[in-house]
């Protein structure tokens, strides 16, 4: 499993949620935000890995490369969802539900091709790296939450950067799976 692709995938998929973190961190304690976010990440990564493992058991790796279409589709298809917060829920549950409502589709669609065919050891390695990144990101967002210039830049260029990351991830999945090599060999 390529560590660079894993990090870029995590950042690209969660970029829109970083905006939500700005608001959540102003409303809840940092520990509550971290726990809710981590639970959501673990749920979605486990679902992506499980679906990828089932597909990998029945299909050759190069066929799984077709799943690279999913991140590219996500880049093209604008599916911004608004979440509904219920202020009577626990802060951890609110963060978890917010993360799932904002990111579930993207995380499943993007991480499925990245996780397809990964060994159990690679999955646990990826889960550990993503968990560490999740915690680091929460602290970084907490530090910059009050910086107006950062918020303005993310508002202005965040959507484009996220879409570029999705396309690059899709192309990487095509290449890494051997799909491109297989198609070239057919010619």
């Amino acid at each position: 499993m390529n560590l660079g692709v894993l990090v870029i995938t995590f950042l690209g998929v969660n970029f829109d949620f970083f905006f939500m973190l700005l608001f959540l961190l102003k409303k809840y304690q940092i520990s509550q935000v971290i726990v809710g976010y981590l639970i959501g990440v673990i749920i979605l990564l486990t679902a992506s890995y499980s679906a990828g493992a089932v597909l990998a058991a029945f299909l050759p790796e190069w066929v799984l490369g077709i799943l690279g279409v999913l991140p590219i589709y996500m880049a093209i298809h604008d599916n911004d969802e608004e979440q509904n917060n219920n202020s009577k829920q626990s802060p951890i549950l609110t963060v978890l539900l917010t993360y799932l409502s904002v990111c579930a589709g993207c995380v499943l669609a993007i991480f499925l091709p990245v996780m397809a065919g990964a060994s159990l050891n690679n999955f646990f390695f990826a889960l550990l790296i993503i968990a560490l990144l999740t915690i680091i990101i929460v602290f970084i967002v907490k530090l910059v939450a009050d910086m107006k210039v950062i918020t303005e830049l993310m508002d202005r260029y965040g959507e484009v950067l996220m879409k570029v990351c999705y396309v690059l991830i899709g192309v990487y999945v095509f290449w890494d799976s051997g799909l491109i090599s297989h198609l070239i060999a057919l010619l």
Side-chain angles (χ1 to χ4, degrees):
M1 177 154 296
N2 186 314
L3 183 61
V5 169
L6 191 63
V7 171
I8 290 169
T9 301
F10 174 77
L11 294 175
V13 168
N14 286 278
F15 199 74
D16 51 347
F17 189 67
F18 298 160
F19 292 106
M20 297 307 302
L21 281 175
L22 292 170
F23 300 109
L24 293 168
L25 286 166
K26 289 184 184 273
K27 190 172 182 179
Y28 304 118
Q29 296 175 2
I30 194 166
S31 61
Q32 296 167 324
V33 172
I34 288 172
V35 171
Y37 191 9
L38 273 174
I39 292 169
V41 166
I42 290 167
I43 288 169
L44 294 180
L45 284 178
T46 301
S48 294
Y49 173 75
S50 299
V54 168
L55 290 173
F58 298 104
L59 301 171
E61 185 177 0
W62 69 268
V63 173
L64 295 177
I66 295 169
L67 293 171
V69 168
L70 292 175
I72 294 169
Y73 172 79
M74 296 300 293
I76 295 167
H77 186 263
D78 192 11
N79 190 19
D80 294 333
E81 300 174 12
E82 296 294 321
Q83 83 292 340
N84 296 321
N85 285 339
N86 183 350
S87 59
K88 295 178 184 173
Q89 296 174 347
S90 78
I92 292 172
L93 184 60
T94 300
V95 173
L96 170 63
L97 294 176
T98 301
Y99 178 69
L100 293 177
S101 68
V102 171
C103 297
C106 294
V107 171
L108 290 172
I110 303 296
F111 270 100
L112 174 61
V114 172
M115 295 299 218
S119 69
L120 190 58
N121 286 340
N122 280 344
F123 167 68
F124 284 123
F125 173 75
L127 200 57
L128 176 66
I129 296 300
I130 297 299
L132 291 173
L133 283 173
T134 299
I135 295 166
I136 291 168
I137 289 297
V138 171
F139 281 107
I140 290 172
V141 171
K142 179 73 173 161
L143 289 173
V144 299
D146 296 328
M147 299 172 96
K148 186 176 180 177
V149 67
I150 299 297
T151 305
E152 288 173 1
L153 284 173
M154 288 177 67
D155 285 341
R156 189 169 186 183
Y157 301 110
E159 186 72 21
V160 172
L161 290 173
M162 182 178 60
K163 290 179 185 243
V164 167
C165 286
Y166 286 1
V167 169
L168 290 174
I169 290 162
V171 171
Y172 174 79
V173 168
F174 290 155
W175 183 261
D176 189 53
S177 68
L179 176 64
I180 294 174
S181 301
H182 186 78
L183 293 176
I184 290 172
L186 290 175
L187 299 175

